[in-house]
Amino acid sequence: MKATAKAHTNIALIKYWGKRNESIILPTNSSLSLTLDGFYTTTTVDFSEEYTKDQFTLNERPIEGEQLRRVTGFLDLIRQHAGKSLHAAVHSVNEVPTAAGFASSASGFAALAAAGSKAIGLDLPERELSALTRQGSGSACRSIYGGFAEWEMGTKEDGSDSYAVPIAPAEHWDLRVAAVVLSSKMKKVSSRTGMKRTVETSPFYQGWLDSIPAEMNQIKEGIKELDFEKVGEVAEANCLKMHATTLGANPPFTYWHDTTMTVMETVREMREKGIPAYFTIDAGPNVKVLYLPENEEVIKNTLRTIPGVADIRLSRPGQGVTYL
Ligand code: DP6
């Protein structure tokens, strides 16, 4: 019982930042993302009576420890769903260079959920597949779809109404993203730890939550109207609000590096010169710059000259989960 699926990572334009249930991953706010074609994971899951335990290889290397436990825990959900107890061999290949600062967990869990559920014989509608994927890593539930997707937070305790829905396919709008990779690394507070600490201790957290509904409406309008300025302004403001919550946490922390701020400033300067560009930042120091195809050369060349920038990776809107 074997299946292979491919899923792309996504970049959140309205961030998911906080959980109301940590075990089945239910968020405190809805979020919205763009799936990217440049970064993806291909995963094969093989359920068989021949296996006495689950096995997991990543880029052909056998994985043990915490990473294996996360995969096994997720396979348990698939087994429960299907009412079967078979063990599995999981082989994943990541085309998400960790250096690019994208979480490979989004494409990883989306590909694992799709391949695993298909291999065990479940034929899940997209919403159910998204809700299952959510329980591996929250942001992954948006990677089921190509283009723009919204993760509706839902209100039910059992999470049955917390899944992503498609907003517009990749073909709707050729909005591009440059991942600006910084050369110096910082000590990392994972997104999981960071959002938990913020929810529990930051006095700014309520302000974050209050601002989401209006921003969500505006960005959806902007996407529909192909209004780059509107989408960029909302995405940038939403990112800044998310990062502001971390400064109020106890102990306080920030994901930003000095070069992070230089890149942000360069993006603002480009705007002043009439080149439309906006930034967004996830739980790390690297910056993602949103731009339109006609400005690709100038964006790439400008970002490249910033001291402390190691690499620029360009991406277009990507497709949702596919089966190979
Ligand atoms: C800042 O999805 O990695 O990238 O649900 O704990 O696995 P878990 O967290 P994860 O968090 C992503 C946070 C973010 C914003 C976003 O992608 O929406």
Side-chain angles (χ1 to χ4, degrees), residues 63-78:
I63 302 290
E64 303 281 340
E66 179 52 30
Q67 261 184 305
L68 174 65
R69 271 193 295 279
R70 248 180 113 177
V71 168
T72 299
F74 193 76
L75 291 170
D76 287 341
L77 292 176
I78 295 176

Side-chain angles (χ1 to χ4, degrees), residues 10 12 14-17 19 25 31 70 103 105 134 136-140 142 191-192 195 242 281-283:
N10 67 75
I14 300 287
K15 308 291 184 192
Y16 145 53
W17 195 241
K19 296 181 180 69
I25 308 193
S31 55
R70 248 180 113 177
S105 64
R134 186 201 78 224
S137 180
S139 55
R142 300 181 306 236
S191 47
R192 200 161 275 198
M195 69 174 81
M242 176 202 125
I281 306 161
D282 280 337

Side-chain angles (χ1 to χ4, degrees), residues 226-249:
L226 309 178
D227 184 336
F228 182 69
E229 217 167 82
K230 194 182 231 171
V231 168
E233 273 175 14
V234 175
E236 198 172 287
N238 180 268
C239 151
L240 290 170
K241 285 194 195 87
M242 176 202 125
H243 286 270
T245 65
T246 69
L247 296 176

